[in-house]
Amino acid sequence: MASLIGIDVGGTFTDAVMITNGVIERKGKIPTNQDDILNTLISALDYLQISKAKNIETITVSTTLVTNAIMQKHLPEVELILFPGTGMKLSSLPWPVDYSVLTGVLDYRGRVVVPADQSEWQTLAEKLNQQSVKPLTAIVSKFSHRNNVFEEQLAAYLHREVPGITTALGNQSGKSNFYRRTLTTYLNLAATELFQNFAYQLKMAVEARGCRAPIRVLKADGGVLPLAKIRPVESIYSGPAASVLGTLAQSNPEESYVVVDIGGTTTDIGLVLSGSPLISTHGAQIGPFLTNVRSLAVRSASIGGDSAVCLDQGEIMLADYRLGPAYCIGGISPTPTDALRYLNLTDYGDLQRAEEALGMLLPENQRTASDLRRTAEIIVEKMVEKIARAIQQLLEEWKTEPAYKVWEVLHHHDDFKFYIQLSGGGAPGLEAALENRMKMRTVLTKFSEVSNAIGAAMAKPTFSWTLHLDTKFSIYRIEETGEQGIWTGPKKPHREVENFLKELAQKQAAGLGIETDDLEKEIFDYFPLVENYHTVGQIVKGAMHVPPGVIGRIQS
Amino acid sequence: MNKTGIIFFPAFDWSLGEFHPEREERLLYTQEQIFEEGIMDLPQVRQYSPGVADLFDVLRTQAIFPDFQQHNLDAHLIAVGSSLVLGNALMKKEITNGFALVRPPGHHSGATVWGNRGFCTLNNEAILINVLRAKYGIKKIAVIDTDVHHGDGTQDIFYHDPNVLYISIHQDGRTIFPGTGFTEEKGGPNAWGSVLNIPLLPGVGDEGFLYALENWIMPAVEVFKPDLIINSAGQDNHFTDPLASMNVTARGYGKITEMIKPDLAVLEGGYAIEGALPYINMAIFLALAGEDYSGVVESQKPQNTEIGGDTIRSFLTDLKRTNEAVRPSWAFRKEPFLPAGDWVYSEKSIYYDTDGFKENRREYIRKCSHCGGTVLMISQKPSVFQKAVLVRIPFEACPDCEQAGYDLAETFQKSEKTVLLQNQLRNQVHLWTDGREVNPFGG
């Protein structure tokens, strides 16, 4: 019997589970040390006693390492080189980093309109040689997802001229949106060394405990990839994805529901439609950086059981930060957890201290039982209101997803019967109030205290292959991998193009250690290319996905 | 900074046929361009999801003959519905302006519809305008049609409406489809001057276009004092367009948009799929969003020679003089079925180029000094011996005109197979088939 291990590093606690045949064998929470994620993870593994476990199939971690490094600006300096070509001015968008600009224009099909100016490259190489011994350089051109020529040529040139240089190219993530592609390339390069060190040390620590199980990392899109294959930037915001997957592993496979996971400082909200988590149409945003990292559509509301409660001109307010744990478990400030404890909606923490915490919000002469009760109720109401608004926002976002085909629009608003799957610390105490506020049936997730770790343990690998084929130019490109190649098939392909993509996907999946049994095919679009009333080729767009999901269900 | 709404609905699964210029790849490169530029990520931009228009909103503005079910309208209803989504967002002040980048287009689709003409079946802007008037009580709206083709459908719908100023600047109808839009067409008996047509010589380029805007169109708009301005944004004045020859550039379009300052722009034609659409749509969009569009540069350069400044200036001066000299000449007619009042009569033949048939129409307009006047249209599709009748009681109709509309509806429902009453005054639509009132809206 092989076991699955899941660890989710949260803002306050790190959850850990060991699951064997759908049964939770061990579970627990340990405090997170945000300054030392590696040791937090290793402590969690020790807590699960992995060295004693006989047969571990995989260890999956959801880590805030890269998120923290980005948010705290603990990233090394990266030289950002752009070929922005023509079109919108760079200054129209906010750039959180400095960049330099080179000459060269591609059009929307990747044709060179204005060639690159190699005399500029020489100046650039000289500058890089002077600046740093081992410069990190991200090179991105507009439309490089259609033609990587400028990026590849400049990289080759710099590798000749600048010893020790490391380059990252925009076309390696071939998704459109020059701005997001640039920031993603930049962040990924900046986080690579940090992540590789972490990966190496984690692997060593696990092996030192006599465990040879492969280590996988949870991604923002709810999928996992082996530690060595993941692009570091893809690990951002895997926490909310873990919430959604954890719920998925503990509910009926076909149902549609809103996932609400109440944590200490934030509440994560996600959407599952007929058993499939909703993917965001845009990429993830992290701090000031918009990326093209594929992610689940999730909302993170800044409210949790530990949110500080304070008075603002006599009115009770819920802050969007925490000042340590709840007062009833030894903290310094009143929190929603204290209110829930006082109302006996939970049995977590000391009742006496909960009462004291609420009393701090009232003048001394008003600390009667009914006033304390009313205060506690207001806190719970306000918390539910904040969560309800975030749920409504996500539902609204889902309803207003863009659509580009008649078929999509006509089938866009299929009716789903939603209910709420509620998990997290304060969940039991908020069930009734949330049900009442949202007018939606609310169900408590069984192992809600370690739901995220369950999600990590049971997540399946995901991957997508989005093909863009231009048969006029005989060039194909894969967005996710940045692969660009020559098409040797017919000018007007049909079935052969789907088989081509399928074979390519299967081959690459094998390299990533992903099974492709449930490869999902999107409807392919075939655009005829007409010049002077003659069809001269086609542009074909299509995609295949290994969708996010979980391996089996947790036995309750 | 402007808060700009965008709906991008390319209808990638809808096409009129394999070799048709209005084809599914029309917005393919625009998508490549706008997605790659990241314009949806501009902080002032909000992308909206397409909507589906309902039948009521369509029939209040256009009569679909012989009956609604005989047309496949899915794609058209989404193009209209998407324009309505932006209209509603504008009224709710979520946005300061918006661009409905949708297909199929609509401005050749008129008051009566038997099929598809000039790639249009439903008129996106006209339906939008009447929704804004009915739902939000907007009084006066100006439409500036910058498509290279005359927007004969939009003109047809509002020809008798004094509260909609329709201005079209286009390539001369003697040289291009649909063969209308001459400067003599200035509006019906109760709406004289509410239509302004500026047919241009081919090849005037940015300079001529901007000159006409500055010296003629915008002053006319200023006099009219509209509550809203809608731009029928056709992209076929571009120097690469295969169907026209106007020589306008993408940056020229940016400038045009900056001058018109439309509250809403709705995409119309434009068939230079590669050379024009991706660039023009970007330039218009950036101009709406208040961003610099000077970096939008086509990969091709203009080949044709432009008509020079003096030539175009004197041409437009002459045209303006002709326009001002035109006087109305109404033909009055008495018929036994017409209620009291003076009725102006005209005839029209409309060619449906996509489907290859003709509609013949007899129009009667009640001359009125109080309102837009009741309109009667007796429409015929001769090829199949079908006849149908539209009666329109206008927005803000006077009591006499309202009564005339009811009388006409009553008269014709007995004798004609299909009768549609658009009661814009009371925001009602009635449809009779074989003398019986039917409810086409379900429920």
Side-chain angles (χ1 to χ4, degrees):
Chain A
M1 277 198 301
S3 307
L4 304 169
I5 292 211
I7 298 174
D8 173 70
V9 179
T12 319
F13 286 106
T14 292
D15 302 347
V17 289
M18 183 186 288
I19 301 166
T20 309
N21 282 346
V23 176
I24 297 180
E25 276 195 53
R26 288 185 67 79
K27 61 182 165 72
K29 292 171 102 70
I30 62 158
T32 300
N33 179 356
Q34 288 290 358
D35 298 325
D36 195 349
I37 301 291
L38 181 69
N39 266 314
T40 306
L41 274 170
I42 293 166
S43 308
L45 289 168
D46 288 341
Y47 178 89
L48 294 174
Q49 300 180 327
I50 57 160
S51 46
K52 288 188 192 163
K54 289 194 191 67
N55 189 0
I56 295 174
E57 195 177 309
T58 55
I59 295 173
T60 309
V61 299
S62 145
T63 163
T64 52
L65 180 85
V66 175
T67 308
N68 288 353
I70 295 171
M71 298 304 273
Q72 293 160 12
K73 302 191 174 118
H74 287 168
L75 292 174
E77 212 152 280
V78 170
E79 196 70 32
L80 179 57
I81 319 281
L82 300 179
F83 291 92
T86 55
M88 190 163 77
K89 294 286 163 85
L90 284 175
S91 54
S92 295
L93 283 162
W95 288 82
V97 285
D98 293 335
Y99 53 80
S100 33
V101 168
L102 295 180
T103 302
V105 181
L106 296 172
D107 79 354
Y108 46 82
R109 277 171 80 190
R111 289 171 291 207
V112 177
V113 179
V114 176
D117 177 359
Q118 302 228 354
S119 68
E120 294 173 349
W121 297 10
Q122 199 182 335
T123 320
L124 175 70
E126 283 162 15
K127 188 182 106 181
L128 289 173
N129 272 324
Q130 277 167 14
Q131 262 174 7
S132 164
V133 189
K134 287 181 169 180
L136 300 176
T137 311
I139 307 167
V140 189
S141 92
K142 196 177 279 178
F143 293 112
S144 65
H145 63 313
R146 297 284 167 257
N147 185 354
N148 58 19
V149 57
F150 294 158
E151 293 178 4
E152 295 282 355
Q153 285 178 356
L154 175 61
Y157 176 87
L158 291 178
H159 279 284
R160 279 197 306 273
E161 303 294 324
V162 185
I165 193 170
T166 305
T167 53
L169 310 183
N171 71 76
Q172 287 158 357
S173 126
K175 287 199 192 79
S176 71
N177 195 331
F178 172 62
Y179 179 64
R180 286 180 183 255
R181 190 166 69 243
T182 301
L183 295 180
T184 309
T185 306
Y186 169 90
L187 288 180
N188 195 55
L189 176 62
T192 294
E193 196 185 342
L194 172 80
F195 192 83
Q196 278 172 353
N197 285 339
F198 161 80
Y200 177 77
Q201 289 175 44
L202 181 61
K203 192 165 169 277
M204 287 299 122
V206 169
E207 280 177 11
R209 282 156 180 78
C211 177
R212 302 220 153 255
I215 304 171
R216 312 181 309 170
V217 180
L218 191 67
K219 300 186 293 176
D221 74 350
V224 290
L225 277 181
L227 193 58
K229 305 275 185 185
I230 188 172
R231 298 182 331 125
V233 72
E234 289 176 329
S235 73
I236 57 168
Y237 291 141
S238 52
S243 303
V244 173
L245 290 169
T247 307
L248 212 58
Q250 298 173 75
S251 59
N252 192 318
E254 294 304 316
E255 288 179 320
S256 304
Y257 45 85
V258 183
V259 175
V260 177
D261 183 15
I262 300 164
T265 21
T266 57
T267 295
D268 293 332
I269 293 155
L271 211 53
V272 174
L273 309 172
S274 302
S276 304
L278 179 67
I279 303 272
S280 168
T281 36
H282 312 285
Q285 176 173 1
I286 177 158
F289 296 92
L290 298 182
T291 74
N292 62 9
V293 171
R294 191 174 150 94
S295 79
L296 296 188
V298 283
R299 275 259 166 279
S300 220
S302 39
I303 179 75
D306 295 346
S307 295
V309 179
C310 48
L311 285 174
D312 183 25
Q313 292 171 358
E315 203 192 332
I316 288 167
M317 302 288 287
L318 304 187
D320 51 10
Y321 51 82
R322 77 194 272 273
L323 299 168
Y327 195 81
C328 64
I329 53 166
I332 53 158
S333 158
T335 66
T337 301
D338 298 304
L340 292 168
R341 180 68 192 97
Y342 181 75
L343 294 171
N344 269 324
L345 289 168
T346 57
D347 51 10
Y348 182 61
D350 182 70
L351 182 60
Q352 188 61 41
R353 277 187 67 90
E355 187 177 331
E356 272 174 48
L358 293 167
M360 288 156 68
L361 297 164
L362 290 168
E364 248 173 87
N365 57 352
Q366 280 179 30
R367 291 176 187 164
T368 66
S370 70
D371 284 332
L372 289 170
R373 193 174 174 79
R374 183 70 204 123
T375 304
E377 282 166 359
I378 290 172
I379 294 171
V380 173
E381 268 168 36
K382 294 212 165 180
M383 184 174 187
V384 166
E385 189 55 35
K386 268 195 164 180
I387 294 169
R389 285 208 189 139
I391 295 174
Q392 279 160 345
Q393 225 180 40
L394 184 62
L395 285 171
E396 184 60 27
E397 190 180 303
W398 163 65
K399 278 188 207 144
T400 56
E401 294 259 292
Y404 305 114
K405 294 183 199 172
V406 175
W407 191 90
E408 285 172 356
V409 176
L410 298 180
H411 294 79
H412 200 56
H413 300 289
D414 286 342
D415 261 346
F416 288 94
K417 288 246 174 296
F418 287 112
Y419 69 96
I420 295 172
Q421 272 280 1
L422 187 61
S423 56
L430 290 172
E431 189 188 1
L434 195 59
E435 182 162 302
N436 196 28
R437 169 65 178 77
M438 289 303 298
K439 308 271 177 278
M440 273 188 201
R441 185 165 64 92
T442 303
V443 173
L444 278 181
T445 308
K446 182 124 195 281
F447 299 100
S448 74
E449 75 286 7
V450 286
S451 204
N452 286 14
I454 293 174
M458 304 196 54
K460 288 195 315 187
T462 56
F463 211 84
S464 294
W465 291 267
T466 305
L467 174 77
H468 181 100
L469 167 64
D470 188 327
T471 69
K472 169 84 193 299
F473 298 146
S474 301
I475 293 171
Y476 78 87
R477 307 165 188 100
I478 306 293
E479 284 188 359
E480 289 77 5
T481 60
E483 180 179 329
Q484 306 191 358
I486 304 293
W487 168 256
T488 52
K491 287 279 179 210
K492 282 203 265 180
H494 192 56
R495 297 295 300 183
E496 50 271 66
V497 75
E498 294 184 18
N499 287 332
F500 169 78
L501 183 59
K502 195 172 175 185
E503 277 170 29
L504 189 133
Q506 279 167 340
K507 205 170 81 194
Q508 294 186 346
L512 291 165
I514 301 177
E515 303 222 345
T516 50
D517 298 343
D518 58 350
L519 205 58
E520 255 179 23
K521 193 190 89 179
E522 255 178 41
I523 296 170
F524 278 53
D525 293 327
Y526 297 84
F527 297 96
L529 294 172
V530 179
E531 284 175 12
N532 303 320
Y533 302 100
H534 294 289
T535 307
V536 294
Q538 280 185 336
I539 286 181
V540 185
K541 285 178 168 185
M544 293 194 182
H545 313 275
V546 181
V550 285
I551 315 158
R553 292 288 188 276
I554 291 289
Q555 321 262 320
S556 47
Chain B
M1 195 187 276
N2 297 333
K3 190 123 183 90
T4 298
I6 185 170
I7 286 192
F8 181 66
F9 180 70
F12 281 151
D13 53 348
W14 179 82
S15 128
L16 283 164
E18 202 181 341
F19 296 105
H20 206 284
E22 206 313 292
R23 52 190 313 109
E24 60 271 39
E25 90 194 79
R26 252 187 83 213
L27 292 182
L28 179 65
Y29 305 130
T30 293
Q31 183 186 49
E32 296 280 308
Q33 190 80 37
I34 63 177
F35 280 21
E36 175 67 354
E37 298 280 7
I39 61 173
M40 311 290 192
D41 288 329
L42 287 170
Q44 73 270 38
V45 167
R46 176 160 169 193
Q47 188 182 5
Y48 285 83
S49 172
V52 187
D54 63 36
L55 194 44
F56 182 85
D57 286 335
V58 172
L59 293 184
R60 174 175 42 219
T61 298
Q62 296 186 281
I64 313 296
F65 290 147
D67 77 68
F68 206 81
Q69 272 106 23
Q70 292 197 11
H71 306 266
N72 181 0
L73 294 174
D74 286 350
H76 303 277
L77 286 171
I78 298 170
V80 174
S82 302
S83 313
L84 298 184
V85 167
L86 282 189
N88 287 324
L90 181 77
M91 289 299 119
K92 285 191 224 150
K93 297 197 171 13
E94 289 172 11
I95 54 174
T96 42
N97 60 27
F99 191 8
L101 255 170
V102 296
R103 62 181 282 271
H107 76 151
H108 295 306
S109 168
T112 53
V113 176
W114 290 89
N116 185 301
R117 43 190 313 275
F119 324 146
C120 310
T121 303
L122 299 181
N123 192 308
N124 303 328
E125 290 93 341
I127 295 168
L128 166 69
I129 286 167
N130 283 345
V131 166
L132 294 174
R133 298 162 91 192
K135 196 169 160 188
Y136 300 100
I138 304 283
K139 289 272 181 287
K140 294 169 83 180
I141 295 181
V143 185
I144 304 177
D145 190 325
T146 48
D147 192 282
V148 79
H149 304 96
H150 176 232
D152 56 344
T154 314
Q155 172 173 310
D156 182 43
I157 291 168
F158 297 115
Y159 206 66
H160 305 297
D161 198 324
N163 291 315
V164 177
L165 172 64
Y166 178 75
I167 302 178
S168 179
I169 179 163
H170 47 262
Q171 188 173 326
D172 193 312
R174 284 168 297 199
T175 58
I176 200 168
F177 179 88
T180 53
F182 299 102
T183 201
E184 295 81 6
E185 299 160 30
K186 288 181 71 170
N190 307 317
W192 182 252
S194 75
V195 169
L196 170 59
N197 280 305
I198 304 179
L200 293 178
L201 299 168
V204 298
D206 292 0
E207 190 186 348
F209 226 90
L210 293 168
Y211 181 82
L213 266 168
E214 198 177 332
N215 294 286
W216 196 352
I217 295 176
M218 294 325 290
V221 172
E222 218 159 280
V223 169
F224 180 70
K225 294 194 179 29
D227 302 313
L228 271 184
I229 297 175
I230 309 250
N231 178 208
S232 278
Q235 324 294 49
D236 32 16
N237 289 293
H238 194 259
F239 62 81
T240 59
D241 196 88
L243 306 183
S245 34
M246 292 305 281
N247 267 346
V248 175
T249 67
R251 278 177 290 182
Y253 267 97
K255 185 77 191 155
I256 289 167
T257 309
E258 211 168 64
M259 283 176 77
I260 294 177
K261 290 191 185 52
D263 296 285
L264 294 171
V266 181
L267 179 69
E268 283 297 340
Y271 308 98
I273 293 169
E274 285 213 82
L277 280 160
Y279 302 104
I280 298 176
N281 286 328
M282 268 297 289
I284 292 182
F285 189 84
L286 290 174
L288 286 174
E291 293 290 339
D292 186 346
Y293 52 82
S294 65
V296 180
V297 182
E298 297 91 334
S299 54
Q300 285 164 273
K301 300 273 169 286
Q303 299 284 324
N304 307 329
T305 47
E306 274 190 26
I307 293 178
D310 283 341
T311 316
I312 184 67
R313 275 193 284 278
S314 75
F315 169 81
L316 279 167
T317 311
D318 287 350
L319 190 69
K320 200 169 177 182
R321 209 171 290 139
T322 314
N323 177 277
E324 279 159 5
V326 179
R327 293 286 172 265
S329 61
W330 310 123
F332 290 92
R333 193 131 157 186
K334 289 192 192 316
E335 306 274 10
F337 53 76
L338 289 172
D342 292 331
W343 292 80
V344 172
Y345 175 77
S346 67
E347 282 175 10
K348 210 171 177 180
S349 173
I350 302 158
Y351 182 63
Y352 287 73
D353 59 317
T354 309
D355 302 324
F357 67 86
K358 250 178 165 178
E359 171 192 358
N360 290 331
R361 202 160 81 184
R362 290 184 287 146
E363 282 184 27
Y364 299 88
I365 300 97
R366 189 173 188 275
K367 198 157 186 321
C368 185
S369 49
H370 308 292
C371 71
T374 286
V375 176
L376 167 69
M377 295 184 183
I378 302 169
S379 167
Q380 218 165 0
K381 183 178 174 186
S383 54
V384 288
F385 305 105
Q386 278 175 324
K387 205 166 124 189
V389 171
L390 165 67
V391 178
R392 184 199 297 148
I393 299 170
F395 285 98
E396 288 141 33
C398 70
D400 289 345
C401 281
E402 187 186 4
Q403 189 55 51
Y406 295 135
D407 292 347
L408 284 170
E410 198 182 335
T411 304
F412 281 97
Q413 54 182 273
K414 287 179 198 136
S415 59
E416 299 302 334
K417 190 173 165 54
T418 306
V419 177
L420 181 78
L421 172 64
Q422 292 170 342
N423 188 347
Q424 296 175 337
L425 173 71
R426 312 233 170 247
N427 200 23
Q428 292 166 353
V429 173
H430 296 280
L431 179 66
W432 290 271
T433 303
D434 296 320
R436 285 183 39 219
E437 180 160 8
V438 290
N439 176 7
F441 311 118

